[in-house]
Amino acid sequence: KDTNGEVLWVWCYPSTTATLRNLLLRKCCLTDENKLLHPFVFGQYRRAWFYITTVEVPDSSILKKVTHFSIVLTAKDFNPEKYAAFTRILCRMYLKHGSPVKMMESYIAVLTKGICQSEENGSFLSKDFDARKAYLAGSIKDIVSQFGMETVILHTALMLKKRIVVYHPKIEAVQEFTRTLPALVWHRQDWTILHSYVHLDADELEALQMCPGYIAGFVDLEVSNRSDLYDVFVNLADSEITIAPLAKEAMTMGKLHKEVGQLIVQSAEDPEKSDSQVIQDISLKTKEIFTNLAPFSEVSDDGEKRVLNYEALKQRRFPPATENFLYHLAAAEQMLKI
């Protein structure tokens, strides 16, 4: 952003599409009217992650005509801490040299050797940033302290691969909350369902709606009126969770859900337990649910995978809500006979 207040796309390597370029300009806070500076944001668009670090240029910098700038990295993996650390180093280089060449050298070094030396502050090592650490960085305990027993709604929605939309006016709050949710279904270790920063833009929504289930974060309250986008709506600002009418049948809660909810709350409220221990407790309970499903599954005719024997499930005479949940869980796990 220059001293005239204009936002310019200055440099790019290796190349980008016009669509992605527009998207990144939209995500980058320099184009924002309200002048709020977001030091770091991240999100996903069509299977590519983007990480954006924005800094204000101090008077002492070599960049005389620039007031702020953003550095964007796109990557195939989810690892906000890793890319935040790396983009901060790149920012310092750009502030010092005012040229992308130095940044480029470091970028290539990390790409090829997994390490770059930075003049003032040690080195950046890719291997310091394990993917599992990124998965465990959020706090399940914070989510439970905000939503209590209602956390089981989120757990159920994730188990059934439903569409969860999260709203909060502050992007930092949205990112922190949404990135933690996939840990509720730890056995999948699937963060590709996370779209932590989405705008109500036709192209982004179209890309989102191609995903079978997702967690999508928005800072525009208008999304609450878009019931075509969600099965479960989380208003983080008001601590409210709403189940969309069309998802009510699949999301009917019963005795099993109450058990899971109580386990989540008890585990999270135990001051002795760390977040990763809480995740472990929930994961064990989740495995137990799959064990419940196992006796009613059989190898399919083509011998490829296990499918649900619905008759056997019905004969077990589970409470209706439990049977309903197990049936929808089998559907989510693609265990239904077509």
Side-chain angles (χ1 to χ4, degrees):
K1 189 175 200 171
D2 65 13
T3 42
N4 303 324
E6 281 186 56
V7 177
L8 310 166
W9 181 282
V10 183
W11 196 78
C12 173
Y13 172 86
S15 67
T16 185
T17 61
T19 313
L20 188 60
R21 190 165 154 161
N22 290 335
L23 174 112
L24 295 171
L25 280 167
R26 193 162 53 240
K27 302 296 171 198
C28 143
C29 56
L30 300 183
T31 53
D32 234 358
E33 293 310 304
N34 63 14
K35 305 284 184 285
L36 259 182
L37 199 67
H38 304 298
F40 182 68
V41 295
F42 61 90
Q44 183 193 185
Y45 173 74
R46 297 189 190 270
R47 294 282 171 160
W49 291 95
F50 57 84
Y51 301 94
I52 307 176
T53 291
T54 302
V55 296
E56 195 167 350
V57 177
D59 295 337
S60 58
S61 169
I62 195 166
L63 300 159
K64 290 294 172 239
K65 294 202 164 75
V66 182
T67 60
H68 305 79
F69 67 83
S70 295
I71 288 182
V72 182
L73 273 182
T74 59
K76 288 270 181 273
D77 57 328
F78 169 76
N79 203 323
E81 286 67 34
K82 170 180 169 181
Y83 293 108
F86 187 34
T87 45
R88 280 197 301 273
I89 288 178
L90 296 179
C91 283
R92 287 197 285 271
M93 288 182 172
Y94 193 55
L95 281 172
K96 186 176 177 181
H97 300 282
S99 135
V101 178
K102 284 283 182 206
M103 296 178 358
M104 193 61 229
E105 287 169 4
S106 295
Y107 176 76
I108 299 277
V110 168
L111 213 56
T112 53
K113 302 201 275 281
I115 179 169
C116 79
Q117 301 292 340
S118 77
E119 293 151 29
E120 301 79 36
N121 35 31
S123 55
F124 169 85
L125 274 165
S126 280
K127 68 172 182 356
D128 288 348
F129 299 93
D130 184 329
R132 260 178 81 95
K133 262 195 205 152
Y135 295 165
L136 290 166
S139 171
I140 288 276
K141 296 183 105 167
D142 288 354
I143 290 178
V144 181
S145 74
Q146 185 170 2
F147 289 102
M149 271 300 275
E150 287 204 307
T151 310
V152 76
I153 300 174
L154 301 170
H155 179 262
T156 305
L158 287 159
M159 287 283 280
L160 300 180
K161 299 186 179 174
K162 295 294 182 194
R163 302 164 307 155
I164 301 174
V165 161
V166 177
Y167 159 77
H168 194 285
K170 290 198 173 88
I171 183 60
E172 288 80 3
V174 172
Q175 306 230 278
E176 193 53 40
F177 184 84
T178 53
R179 71 170 294 176
T180 312
L181 289 181
L184 285 169
V185 281
W186 182 255
H187 65 287
R188 290 193 189 127
Q189 297 214 5
D190 181 12
W191 263 254
T192 61
I193 60 173
L194 174 63
H195 301 258
S196 53
Y197 188 16
V198 188
H199 280 84
L200 286 167
D201 173 89
D203 180 52
E204 285 187 54
L205 297 182
E206 182 194 323
L208 186 65
Q209 285 172 303
M210 283 161 69
C211 309
Y214 52 74
I215 299 158
F218 291 82
V219 290
D220 182 351
L221 186 54
E222 177 54 36
V223 72
S224 61
N225 303 321
R226 293 291 306 268
S227 54
D228 58 317
L229 293 176
Y230 60 82
D231 301 307
V232 173
F233 180 74
V234 182
N235 184 329
L236 204 51
D238 296 343
S239 301
E240 281 174 1
I241 298 179
T242 315
I243 300 174
L246 285 173
K248 283 222 158 84
E249 187 259 334
M251 298 276 298
T252 310
M253 299 285 158
K255 182 169 162 282
L256 178 68
H257 298 87
K258 192 176 171 188
E259 268 176 42
V260 175
Q262 281 168 339
L263 171 113
I264 292 174
V265 171
Q266 271 166 0
S267 177
E269 284 178 350
D270 183 340
E272 299 290 298
K273 286 190 172 169
S274 67
D275 276 294
S276 56
Q277 283 169 313
V278 176
I279 290 169
Q280 212 172 349
D281 288 349
I282 299 168
S283 186
L284 283 170
K285 187 68 184 170
T286 305
K287 283 205 179 85
E288 206 179 288
I289 293 170
F290 280 108
T291 312
N292 275 338
L293 199 54
F296 315 111
S297 67
E298 55 198 24
V299 177
S300 60
D301 301 334
D302 57 12
E304 284 295 299
K305 57 176 193 170
R306 298 194 75 77
V307 292
L308 181 74
N309 179 337
Y310 188 48
E311 284 314 307
L313 177 65
K314 283 179 89 144
Q315 279 161 12
R316 228 347 266 285
R317 295 216 156 78
F318 279 116
T322 302
E323 182 188 301
N324 179 52
F325 173 67
L326 291 173
Y327 175 77
H328 283 98
L329 181 60
E333 294 290 328
Q334 296 173 326
M335 284 170 64
L336 294 190
K337 286 181 190 157
I338 310 299

